[in-house]
Amino acid sequence: FKSAGLDLQPVLSYMTALSQTIMEPNRTYWGLLRRRQCRVPTLRAWLLLAVTGAVLGLMAVRAAYPFLAVTQPAPGGVLVVEGWASDDTLEAAIAEFKQNHYARLFVTGVPLLQGAPLSEYKNYAHLGAATLVKLGLSTNDVQAVPTPLTQRDRTYAMALSLRTWLREHQMSPAKVNLITQGPHARRSRLLYEKALGSACTVGVIAVPAKDYDEQHWWRSSQGVRIVIGELLAYGYARLFFYPPAE
């Protein structure tokens, strides 16, 4: 071919490049996709990840109850207790009321959904207030603040009812101290803060639960139901709940 004056070098180069493209193992589907090497964990790495995940999970489980059952009181002003709370929580409210000399003890609550026809009291606020009086407080010190039946955001609705009562009676406390049960504390404080506004400091006291072991809450169905439920509810209140425009 050279003697004939034909230079086949460009043709050979093109054919060689074409064959490499077709046969190259890193290219597939007519060169539209390319194979890439990537690093994957070894067995040792997977074991390390599993152990790390287990340790972090255990730490999260142990920290869940202390995180939710926060106690950061703000003595002075008025004291609030949620009427659905147990008797020992109401007794703790009485002790706190007498120790720090609050102006008044408010009891919030929603209507009873079970046993109301058999009870003199139709709302947890009235039931809790009557219990406090029976335990030794004066009727002048206790004020029930009932909330109508609501299907969502009950704690926030109770806080709004308290705010309405305070405004109607020309009371503007600088501090509100809230007493509630165990892991309900952090969410309750958050929702009361949203309802009462930044001008009011909201403290909280978490009374330890007695129907399950708070240090090992995951060992009982009651503890799992309450703590997991409060974790989800607090996450919702923190991330997705916004007070409706007034």
Side-chain angles (χ1 to χ4, degrees):
F1 289 98
K2 289 183 178 180
S3 61
L6 297 177
D7 186 4
L8 296 180
Q9 186 61 37
V11 178
L12 293 175
S13 299
Y14 174 78
M15 295 298 294
T16 301
L18 181 60
S19 64
Q20 289 178 349
T21 301
I22 295 175
M23 300 301 295
E24 186 180 355
N26 289 336
R27 293 181 181 272
T28 58
Y29 297 102
W30 303 282
L32 297 178
L33 299 177
R34 179 187 296 272
R35 297 182 184 273
R36 294 287 190 184
Q37 290 185 347
C38 64
R39 299 179 183 273
V40 296
T42 63
L43 177 59
R44 180 183 300 179
W46 282 119
L47 290 176
L48 179 60
L49 290 173
V51 172
T52 302
V55 172
L56 292 177
L58 180 60
M59 292 174 60
V61 167
R62 290 188 174 276
Y65 187 93
F67 172 77
L68 294 171
V70 60
T71 293
Q72 294 177 347
V78 299
L79 186 64
V80 179
V81 64
E82 296 177 312
W84 56 264
S86 60
D87 289 348
D88 59 291
T89 301
L90 298 179
E91 290 174 353
I94 293 176
E96 175 68 20
F97 182 81
K98 292 181 177 180
Q99 180 178 353
N100 290 295
H101 308 289
Y102 293 86
R104 190 169 294 183
L105 175 52
F106 292 93
V107 187
T108 60
V110 295
L112 275 71
L113 297 180
Q114 182 178 7
L118 302 177
S119 175
E120 178 183 353
Y121 309 100
K122 310 303 180 183
N123 191 290
Y124 280 108
H126 295 124
L127 176 62
T131 303
L132 289 170
V133 172
K134 193 68 174 180
L135 291 173
L137 279 188
S138 168
T139 55
N140 295 327
D141 295 327
V142 181
Q143 176 63 52
V145 183
T147 298
L149 182 63
T150 179
Q151 294 183 344
R152 55 177 297 179
D153 305 322
R154 290 178 299 176
T155 301
Y156 180 75
M158 290 188 290
L160 285 182
S161 297
L162 175 64
R163 187 187 69 178
T164 299
W165 193 98
L166 292 173
R167 289 180 176 180
E168 290 176 349
H169 292 80
Q170 288 78 47
M171 291 183 65
S172 301
K175 295 181 180 180
V176 169
N177 210 17
L178 174 66
I179 291 187
T180 188
Q181 283 189 215
H184 191 60
R186 186 172 290 274
R187 180 165 64 96
S188 287
R189 181 181 63 175
L190 174 64
L191 294 175
Y192 271 77
E193 288 175 341
K194 289 180 179 291
L196 299 179
S198 58
C200 181
T201 299
V202 179
V204 67
I205 298 175
V207 179
K210 288 191 175 182
D211 51 349
Y212 61 92
D213 181 4
E214 62 189 44
Q215 299 298 326
H216 304 93
W217 57 267
W218 57 89
R219 295 181 179 176
S220 67
S221 60
Q222 179 76 346
V224 169
R225 181 180 65 83
I226 293 177
V227 175
I228 297 298
E230 284 296 336
L231 276 174
L232 296 175
Y234 175 74
Y236 164 78
R238 172 61 70 180
L239 300 176
F240 302 109
F241 174 76
Y242 296 94
E246 299 182 8

